[in-house]
Amino acid sequence: MTTCTRPAANSTPEQLRFPPVAGYTIRANFDAGETSSDLGALLLSAVDRRIGLIGRMAAAITDSRHASYIKHTLRDLLTQRTFQIASGYEDGNDSNALRRDPLFKLAAERAPLDNDNLLACGATFSRLEDALDSRDIYRMARALVLQFIAGYSCAPASITLDLDHTDDATYGQQPLSFYNHHYGHYCYLPLLVFEASKGALVTVILRPGKRPTGAENAMIMKRVFGLLRQHWPQTHIVLRGDGHFANPELMELIVADGNADFIFGLGGNAVLSRKAEGLMKNARGHLDLHRSLAAQGLGPAVTAARLFGEFEYAAKSWPQAFRVVLKAEVLPGSGGVPDKDNERFVVTSMRGPSPRTLYQQDYCARGQAENWIKQLKCDLKADRTSAQSFLANFGRLLLTGAAYVLHQQLRQLGLQGTALATAQPKTVILSLFKIAVRVKQYKDRVLLHLPSACPVKALLATVCQRLYPNNSRMRSMLASP
C-alpha cells in the first residue's frame, strides 16, 4: 500500500559529522522523512476532547472576519496556539516553523502529510490578538471559570480559592505598564485564582502594574462568585490570600454571600501591636527559658519561640469586627545581634479552627499557590506580554491559562498514580511530550512509528488507555484525498 509523502520542509543536504565511537565513524543525514518531536500534541488533543476547553474558548470570541477570506477557523487557531504553548512553544512566531508539523496538524484534526492544509503562521496569530476587544476578553476569562466548574461532576461541599498577584515584567512601552516599588521594575500585576486542593486554575486577569484597590478586587471576585453560585448555590467557599486582599469591599462581598468565609493576611499597625504585646512578652520569656535550659544541657537549642493567640479587631473601614489570629514569634540573635520580634496577623471570618491550626495549616497552605504561579510563568512562559495592545497581552495570558488547564487536567485524567502524577509542566514536556515520531499516511489510516528504545513506553500506554478508552467513539480525522 502506497504512502502519501512530501519533501521535508527546509531540509538541508549537509551531513553532520561526529567523532568516531568504538571504531565506527558517525554520520547523520537529514533524510528520516516525515518526523516530529512533539507527540505531546496528541495527548493534549485527547485531553481537550474530554473537557471541551478549546470549544469554550472559541465560543467566547466574536469572529468578525469576512467569511470568504477565512482559511483557519477560530477553533483551529486556538487549538494550534494553545497546544503549542502547552508543548513549550510560547511565542506566536514559533508557528512559522511548526505549521507543517505532522503531529500538530493531526492534533488539529487535519491529515498530517497533505500539502494544502498548513496550519496558521505567526502573522495570523498577531492579527487574531489585535482583533480581540474587551467583550471577547471578558468572555474568555469567563470561559475559564465555566471550565473550572465543568471539572466537577457534582457540586462540592466546600472549596478554597487562593488569590494572588504576581509581577509580569515589561521592557517596552506596553500600555498600563507601571513601575512597582515592591518588585523594583515596570510590570503588569495579573491576578490569578486557583482552587487550593488540586491547583485547578479558576481564572486569570491581566492588570496594570499598580497595587489593586479593594474595590477592584471585589469587582473581579463578585463576577467569579456570581458564576460559582449559579451552579453551586450551596457550596461553602473560602477565599484565601495575603494582605493585598484584606480590604473592606472584599470582606463585605463575602459576608453578604452568607455561605462563604475568608482568611487574609493582615499588615501590622500600632493598635494591633498593642493587642499583641502580652503574647509577645510571653514568647520572649519562653525563648529565654529554653535558651537557659539549653545552656545547662537540659534541652535542645531552640531556633525560635512561637506562640499563637487571637482577639477581636475592627478597622474603621471594616463592616464589622473580625477574628484576628496572632503568631507571636521571637527569633534568637547571635554574634551580638539582638533577638528579633516577628509578629504576624491573619484576619478571618472563620470561628472553628484553633489559632495555631488556622495559621499554620489553613493560612500558610496558601504558599502552594506560588508553585502554581511558577508553573505558569516559568514552564509555560505566561510573561510573554510584549504586544503593543493591553487587550492583546490579556489574550495571550488567557491562552497560557488555557494551556495550564490542559496540563492540570492531563495530570488528573491520565497521570494519576504514575511517576508524573505531580510533575510540573516542564517535566511533563521533557519526559512525555518530546518524543520523536515518524509519520506515515495511507489512504485510510495514519501510522506513527515511535522509537523502539522509548523510555516511557509503559507510561504512554497507560496514558493512552485512560485518555482514549476502548468504548469511546473518537471523532474522525479529516480524510486524505
Side-chain angles (χ1 to χ4, degrees):
M1 185 178 293
T2 60
T3 62
C4 176
T5 60
R6 57 176 168 78
N10 300 320
S11 61
T12 58
E14 289 82 3
Q15 187 179 71
L16 303 182
R17 297 173 178 269
F18 297 93
V21 176
Y24 295 94
T25 59
I26 310 298
R27 301 291 183 267
N29 297 315
F30 293 93
D31 57 2
E34 293 304 329
T35 58
S36 172
S37 60
D38 287 290
L39 180 65
L42 294 185
L43 302 181
L44 295 169
S45 177
V47 173
D48 184 59
R49 289 171 187 259
R50 296 280 295 273
I51 68 174
L53 171 65
I54 301 300
R56 283 190 177 88
M57 298 295 284
I61 303 174
T62 300
D63 194 346
S64 58
R65 298 175 296 173
H66 194 286
S68 61
Y69 296 103
I70 294 178
K71 187 174 182 180
H72 307 283
T73 66
L74 279 176
R75 183 185 179 90
D76 289 343
L77 292 174
L78 295 188
T79 296
Q80 179 187 351
R81 185 77 169 98
T82 306
F83 287 7
Q84 287 177 0
I85 294 173
S87 299
Y89 303 103
E90 64 275 4
D91 291 323
N93 58 10
D94 291 329
S95 304
N96 295 330
L98 296 171
R99 60 190 313 218
R100 294 178 178 271
D101 188 283
L103 289 190
F104 277 111
K105 291 170 68 175
L106 200 58
E109 300 189 354
R110 300 188 180 196
L113 302 186
D114 288 359
N115 293 312
D116 58 354
N117 64 351
L118 300 184
L119 299 174
C121 64
T124 302
F125 289 111
S126 293
R127 290 191 292 271
L128 173 63
E129 292 172 351
D130 291 337
L132 295 175
D133 60 26
S134 58
R135 290 166 295 185
D136 296 326
I137 293 297
Y138 176 83
R139 289 191 295 264
M140 290 173 71
R142 187 175 186 271
L144 287 180
V145 182
L146 294 175
Q147 181 63 56
F148 166 72
I149 295 171
Y152 289 81
S153 58
C154 60
S158 177
I159 60 170
T160 298
L161 302 182
D162 281 325
L163 317 178
D164 207 353
H165 296 96
T166 187
D167 66 312
D168 177 357
T170 55
Y171 302 97
Q173 301 296 323
Q174 291 98 315
L176 299 180
S177 168
F178 296 116
Y179 183 82
N180 190 293
H181 180 72
H182 177 75
Y183 294 104
H185 53 241
Y186 284 85
C187 64
Y188 291 130
L189 200 65
L191 170 66
L192 301 101
V193 185
F194 295 96
E195 189 276 326
S197 65
K198 297 180 180 179
L201 180 67
V202 180
T203 196
V204 57
I205 306 296
L206 188 65
R207 296 186 53 267
K210 60 184 180 180
R211 181 187 175 104
T213 64
E216 181 185 347
N217 288 333
M219 177 269 293
I220 294 172
M221 293 312 301
K222 182 178 180 179
R223 286 160 172 77
V224 174
F225 261 67
L227 287 174
L228 295 178
R229 286 304 181 210
Q230 287 179 20
H231 297 82
W232 301 337
Q234 303 302 321
T235 297
H236 179 240
I237 301 175
V238 178
L239 287 192
R240 184 167 62 187
D242 60 16
H244 280 106
F245 302 98
N247 314 123
E249 295 88 350
L250 203 50
M251 293 176 176
E252 289 177 1
L253 174 69
I254 297 169
V255 171
D257 180 83
N259 193 23
D261 285 298
F262 64 83
I263 309 174
F264 296 145
L266 183 62
N269 58 39
V271 176
L272 293 174
S273 295
R274 286 197 300 270
K275 288 179 174 288
E277 180 55 32
L279 196 61
M280 289 299 302
K281 184 176 181 180
N282 290 342
R284 297 184 197 106
H286 275 260
L287 179 62
D288 291 339
L289 174 61
H290 286 287
R291 190 155 42 197
S292 175
L293 293 175
Q296 301 174 43
L298 300 177
V302 294
T303 56
R306 190 177 298 114
L307 301 176
F308 295 88
E310 62 180 294
F311 51 84
E312 294 292 308
Y313 174 73
K316 291 182 179 180
S317 59
W318 291 4
Q320 65 185 62
F322 290 108
R323 179 190 185 195
V324 172
V325 170
L326 162 68
K327 180 185 77 169
E329 183 178 52
V330 182
L331 305 174
S334 61
V337 178
D339 298 342
K340 180 181 179 181
D341 291 350
N342 183 35
E343 57 185 28
R344 291 289 185 270
F345 303 96
V346 172
V347 59
T348 181
S349 59
M350 301 175 67
R351 295 291 176 180
S354 68
R356 179 182 294 272
T357 298
L358 189 137
Y359 189 94
Q360 290 188 325
Q361 298 182 18
D362 296 332
Y363 176 71
C364 289
R366 60 168 293 276
Q368 179 62 28
E370 296 289 343
N371 293 325
W372 299 325
I373 291 174
K374 289 178 182 177
Q375 292 180 18
L376 266 166
K377 292 178 63 176
C378 300
D379 294 0
L380 301 177
K381 311 300 182 185
D383 56 357
R384 291 297 195 269
T385 49
S386 57
Q388 295 181 350
S389 162
F390 180 79
L391 292 180
N393 287 323
F394 205 151
R396 291 184 182 184
L397 181 62
L398 288 168
L399 291 182
T400 306
Y404 175 92
V405 171
L406 290 175
H407 271 278
Q408 192 269 337
Q409 287 296 302
L410 174 60
R411 292 195 297 267
Q412 293 296 313
L413 299 174
L415 296 175
Q416 286 292 332
T418 71
L420 297 180
T422 59
Q424 298 177 356
K426 187 171 185 179
T427 302
V428 174
I429 291 171
L430 294 176
S431 302
L432 201 61
F433 284 14
K434 298 300 180 182
I435 296 176
V437 183
R438 185 174 183 181
V439 182
K440 290 187 178 180
Q441 177 180 317
Y442 298 87
K443 289 185 177 180
D444 60 346
R445 69 187 187 275
V446 172
L447 292 183
L448 306 179
H449 297 272
L450 277 66
S452 301
C454 178
V456 290
K457 284 182 185 178
L459 178 58
L460 277 174
T462 298
V463 171
C464 288
Q465 288 171 3
R466 293 176 177 178
L467 297 181
Y468 293 108
N470 293 330
N471 59 352
S472 66
R473 294 184 61 86
M474 298 286 102
R475 290 179 290 180
S476 59
M477 182 198 72
L478 296 179
S480 170

